[in-house]
């Protein structure tokens, strides 16, 4: 059933694909951590301070999970209409997890998909190193679309390369946003 949803997401995405990209829009996918200390919002706040013309649209886990008493129709419309629209028209996409609908998405050449993985360390196996079967295939197809993978240090590069099956030239060992606060002067 989810796979059908990923197809539907992309059918709508490809309709909006014809609309030009808004270079001032950043789409945030926070399916794991939507707190202000999370990597995605922490990075978004930085960009907001640097350029007041940038604006953000986002999706969180709460926006698409169906729970008792949730507004199901609103969530369906948001996930299958508004999210594909914003994905198709954003110059930059920041995400904190693997977003499986992207397995079927072809992005325009000038779009940046920046993986700001929600974890800051590697004390366990994660991402593609934990998935199996069809879910692993979807996760890999989604993950290879990332144009940037931000990691904490040079020593983490091989671990994240394996976990995301990404080329080394797309992995940036510049530190993770949520740990930057430890190196800031007070």
């Amino acid at each position: 059933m989810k796979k059908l949803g990923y197809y539907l997401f992309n059918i709508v995405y490809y309709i909006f694909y014809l609309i030009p990209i808004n270079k001032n829009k950043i789409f945030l996918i926070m399916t794991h951590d939507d707190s202000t200390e999370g990597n995605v919002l922490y990075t978004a706040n930085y960009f907001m301070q640097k350029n007041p013309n940038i604006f953000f649209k986002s999706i969180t886990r709460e926006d698409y999970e169906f729970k008792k008493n949730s507004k199901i129709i609103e969530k369906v419309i948001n996930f299958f209409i508004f999210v594909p629209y914003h994905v198709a028209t954003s110059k930059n996409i920041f995400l904190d997890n693997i977003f499986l609908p992207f397995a079927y998405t072809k992005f325009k050449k000038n779009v940046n998909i920046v993986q700001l993985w929600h974890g800051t360390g590697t004390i366990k196996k994660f991402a593609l190193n934990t998935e199996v079967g069809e879910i692993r295939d979807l996760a890999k197809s989604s993950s290879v679309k990332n144009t940037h993978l931000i990691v904490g240090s040079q020593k983490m590069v091989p671990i994240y390369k394996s976990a995301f099956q990404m080329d080394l030239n797309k992995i940036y060992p510049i530190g993770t946003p949520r740990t930057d606060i430890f190196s800031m002067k007070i």
Side-chain angles (χ1 to χ4, degrees):
M1 187 68 165
K2 285 185 177 182
K3 198 171 176 182
L4 181 63
Y6 303 154
Y7 284 127
L8 178 59
F9 178 97
N10 279 279
I11 288 169
V12 176
Y13 166 83
Y14 285 112
I15 293 168
F16 294 127
Y17 188 86
L18 302 171
I19 299 172
I21 288 174
N22 183 331
K23 66 179 181 163
N24 290 320
K25 185 187 336 182
I26 299 176
F27 190 69
L28 311 173
I29 300 174
M30 300 172 289
T31 59
H32 190 78
D33 185 358
D34 62 352
S35 72
T36 56
E37 293 86 23
N39 286 333
V40 174
L41 273 183
Y42 196 89
T43 303
N45 287 332
Y46 170 82
F47 279 97
M48 200 179 320
Q49 291 171 1
K50 292 292 181 187
N51 184 346
N53 295 323
I54 289 179
F55 67 99
F56 302 90
K57 295 295 180 177
S58 65
I59 185 172
T60 65
R61 181 179 301 274
E62 188 176 303
D63 293 330
Y64 65 86
E65 277 189 336
F66 300 119
K67 295 181 180 176
K68 194 174 188 177
N69 300 324
S70 68
K71 300 175 181 176
I72 294 173
I73 299 298
E74 266 182 44
K75 290 182 179 198
V76 167
I77 290 169
N78 183 51
F79 189 80
F80 291 109
I81 304 292
F82 294 112
V83 172
Y85 168 77
H86 291 303
V87 168
T89 59
S90 293
K91 169 72 175 147
N92 297 289
I93 300 169
F94 298 155
L95 60 161
D96 70 358
N97 210 342
I98 295 172
F99 192 62
L100 293 180
F102 285 177
Y104 304 104
T105 307
K106 180 183 177 193
F107 293 95
K108 295 174 185 169
K109 289 181 184 178
N110 56 347
V111 172
N112 298 308
I113 298 102
V114 182
Q115 177 60 255
L116 296 161
W117 187 250
H118 57 271
T120 57
T122 58
I123 58 173
K124 63 179 184 173
K125 288 184 176 186
F126 61 98
L128 295 173
N129 289 337
T130 62
E131 303 295 351
V132 294
E134 188 175 11
I135 293 294
R136 185 181 194 290
D137 294 340
L138 289 171
K140 183 177 179 181
S141 292
S142 174
S143 180
V144 298
K145 309 280 175 58
N146 295 335
T147 59
H148 299 76
L149 171 59
I150 308 303
V151 301
S153 71
Q154 188 63 43
K155 289 187 178 195
M156 291 181 157
V157 169
I159 296 165
Y160 278 78
K161 180 184 182 334
S162 173
F164 289 94
Q165 299 292 301
M166 287 183 63
D167 295 334
L168 285 174
N169 64 340
K170 294 180 177 182
I171 303 174
Y172 298 86
I174 58 174
T176 55
R178 72 180 340 157
T179 60
D180 285 350
I181 195 166
F182 297 123
S183 62
M184 299 172 87
K185 292 183 180 179
I186 300 176

